[in-house]
């Protein structure tokens, strides 16, 4: 008997250019899982989530397409993965409503990402507040078993697991309990400009991050200007040398070399030499992505998304009918 394939689901918000933090934390795993026969993989551009922060609708429309294009340039292949836009599959919003009725507000009040965003000045809204419920709906809709994400999504994943268990107890055993897949190193890549906060799309300072479509020259400049410290020894010490420690983690995750071997090689050679090596490693890692990006045209991306939405709706509708039946919203005979 052949074992049933496990389902992988993950998402990315089209809120800005995708960056190297997300690449090391999540997207690299997206591609690896696609190549593993043990999994059916589903990746989603979560445009409904992106609407929870202020945005310009014209720019947004372009961003959605660009994000899909970048996901394809990273190596996601529409023949092997299901790729689609969240807003084109209305079952996401329907399931989010149902799960919302099972979510205590006390749990949402403890969500650190919500609190961080409001502290940074993002207007608090019902959408921003219930962001994790929609995320749980994304994951549970297709009965995902495994969710490749960066460390910052841990709490949201925990909530998705709780909601799955809560639903199963209250109504019927419908959902598997999803597991997060978080890498051991580089699960939380820090900002190049302020290594005590995470690399992020929303930081107004573009020097905080390497975008996946940055040119080699821009990558070199950004790494050269990355904030470090005044003791020029390359060694890992998160407390006193957060900038160098971040670069060591990035270099280690990019090349597969251990932090010890990198510290041995670059220890006393000065920061300039080390930074050059980090920049060249990133440039080499992203070279195939840049090439693929140039080859992709918008019409082809749009076609892939249309086909993806059609397939995702068909599959979501089948799953969602089980949910409706379980909660008493089944067909009226
Ligand atoms: P988003 O678009 O903010 O980030 C996409 C992925 O990149 C990871 N990531 C990082 N990893 C390491 N270091 C960093 N500095 C870094 N910054 C971002 C994120 O952890 C994420 O995996 N809430 C999700 C989107 C989402 C989702 C889902 C994910 C909506 N529904 C269902 C999985 C399953 C997010 O904020 O993505």
């Amino acid at each position: 008997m052949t074992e049933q394939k496990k389902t992988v689901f993950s998402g990315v918000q089209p809120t800005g250019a995708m960056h190297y933090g997300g690449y090391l934390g999540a997207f690299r795993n997206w591609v690896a899982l696609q190549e593993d026969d043990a999994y059916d993989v589903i990746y989603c551009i979560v445009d409904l989530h992106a609407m929870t922060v202020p945005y310009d609708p014209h720019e947004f429309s372009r961003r959605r397409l660009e994000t899909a294009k970048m996901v394809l340039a990273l190596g996601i292949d529409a023949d092997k993965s299901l790729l689609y836009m969240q807003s084109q599959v209305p079952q996401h919003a329907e399931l989010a409503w149902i799960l919302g009725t099972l979510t205590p507000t006390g749990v949402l009040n403890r969500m650190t990402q919500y609190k961080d965003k409001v502290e940074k000045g993002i207007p608090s809204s019902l959408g921003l507040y219930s962001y994790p419920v929609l995320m749980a709906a994304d994951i549970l809709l297709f009965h995902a078993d495994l969710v490749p994400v960066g460390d910052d999504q841990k709490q949201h994943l925990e909530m998705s697991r709780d909601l799955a268990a809560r639903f199963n107890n209250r109504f019927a055993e419908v959902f598997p309990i999803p597991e997060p897949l978080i890498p051991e190193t580089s699960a939380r890549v820090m900002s190049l400009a302020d290594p005590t906060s995470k690399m992020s799309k929303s930081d107004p300072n573009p020097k905080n991050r390497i975008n996946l479509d940055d040119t080699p020259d821009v990558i070199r400049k950004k790494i050269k200007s990355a904030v470090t410290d005044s003791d020029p020894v390359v060694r890992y010490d998160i407390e006193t040398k957060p900038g160098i420690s971040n670069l060591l983690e990035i270099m280690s995750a990019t090349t597969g070399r251990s932090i010890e071997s990198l510290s041995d090689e670059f220890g006393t050679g000065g920061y300039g030499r080390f930074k050059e090596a980090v920049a060249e490693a990133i440039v080499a890692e992203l070279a195939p992505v840049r090439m693929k990006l140039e080859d992709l045209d918008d019409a082809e991306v749009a076609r892939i998304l249309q086909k993806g939405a059609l397939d995702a709706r068909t599959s979501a509708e089948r799953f969602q009918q089980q949910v409706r039946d379980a909660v008493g919203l089944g067909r009226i005979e």
Side-chain angles (χ1 to χ4, degrees):
M1 205 175 85
T2 53
E3 215 175 295
Q4 240 212 325
K5 285 193 179 190
K6 296 223 177 255
T7 299
V8 170
F9 182 96
S10 198
V12 55
Q13 298 189 78
T15 39
M18 288 162 71
H19 58 69
Y20 205 61
Y23 175 78
L24 293 180
F27 311 131
R28 215 163 49 151
N29 272 339
W30 289 23
V31 181
L33 289 161
Q34 165 188 267
E35 301 308 330
D36 190 330
D37 271 349
Y39 301 105
D40 281 326
V41 296
I42 309 175
Y43 298 125
C44 182
I45 315 294
V46 291
D47 49 357
L48 298 177
H49 277 104
M51 294 170 71
T52 59
V53 298
Y55 69 96
D56 165 0
H58 299 291
E59 153 99 357
F60 188 49
S61 204
R62 191 180 52 81
R63 272 269 170 245
R64 292 159 75 224
L65 188 76
E66 273 177 12
T67 305
K69 207 173 186 175
M70 181 52 86
V71 170
L72 292 166
L74 283 169
I76 294 307
D77 174 347
D79 290 330
K80 298 180 184 170
S81 299
L82 176 56
L83 175 68
Y84 69 98
M85 199 67 73
Q86 185 187 34
S87 61
Q88 298 186 341
V89 179
Q91 289 83 355
H92 281 273
E94 182 191 349
L95 182 57
W97 180 264
I98 293 171
L99 295 177
T101 65
L102 296 174
T103 311
T105 52
V107 170
L108 291 177
N109 291 339
R110 288 197 290 277
M111 291 292 131
T112 55
Q113 287 228 339
Y114 170 73
K115 287 194 268 192
D116 286 352
K117 286 178 184 167
V118 174
E119 248 168 49
K120 280 192 187 134
I122 293 173
S124 171
S125 66
L126 185 57
L128 188 67
Y129 186 59
S130 63
Y131 178 114
V133 183
L134 180 59
M135 181 161 161
D138 298 341
I139 295 169
L140 301 185
L141 182 61
F142 293 97
H143 293 197
D145 300 288
L146 198 62
V147 186
V149 281
D151 181 74
D152 60 344
Q153 299 302 312
K154 232 183 202 165
Q155 195 186 29
H156 289 162
L157 248 300
E158 219 26 73
M159 202 190 100
S160 305
R161 289 164 58 84
D162 287 349
L163 278 175
R166 206 180 275 264
F167 184 102
N168 290 349
N169 283 336
R170 167 86 175 79
F171 300 111
E173 280 290 324
V174 170
F175 299 121
I177 310 294
E179 293 284 343
L181 179 72
I182 298 175
E184 271 176 27
T185 45
S186 73
R188 189 179 182 82
V189 176
M190 306 308 273
S191 157
L192 300 175
D194 169 13
T196 57
S197 60
K198 81 171 177 189
M199 185 180 283
S200 121
K201 282 186 278 213
S202 58
D203 191 322
N205 179 2
K207 282 186 170 172
N208 109 82
R209 60 190 165 259
I210 303 287
N211 291 331
L212 300 182
D213 59 357
D214 277 346
T215 61
D217 270 353
V218 169
I219 294 175
R220 291 184 187 109
K221 279 197 192 112
K222 285 181 177 174
I223 295 291
K224 198 169 177 188
S225 68
V227 167
T228 49
D229 55 78
S230 56
D231 152 46
V233 180
V234 177
R235 80 186 148 79
Y236 194 89
D237 181 342
I238 208 78
E239 294 300 322
T240 63
K241 299 167 84 66
I244 282 294
S245 302
N246 189 34
L247 291 179
L248 273 168
E249 277 211 41
I250 291 174
M251 180 74 165
S252 167
T254 304
T255 59
R257 292 181 56 187
S258 70
I259 302 241
E260 294 76 56
S261 107
L262 292 169
S263 318
D264 285 350
E265 180 181 343
F266 293 101
T268 53
Y271 284 173
R273 188 168 83 96
F274 176 56
K275 281 180 163 180
E276 267 169 36
V278 175
E280 292 318 314
I282 299 173
V283 167
E285 180 78 11
L286 293 180
V289 178
R290 282 186 64 74
M291 266 173 57
K292 186 89 195 285
L293 200 59
E294 278 163 23
D295 278 355
L296 281 163
D297 73 83
D298 291 359
E300 189 187 351
V301 180
R303 191 186 50 74
I304 288 172
L305 288 173
Q306 272 164 20
K307 164 92 170 47
L310 207 65
D311 291 347
R313 276 198 296 269
T314 307
S315 161
E317 182 53 22
R318 194 164 39 80
F319 283 129
Q320 188 59 12
Q321 198 51 50
Q322 268 178 277
V323 172
R324 291 187 203 117
D325 289 340
V327 301
L329 290 173
R331 195 194 307 271
I332 298 173
E333 309 281 355

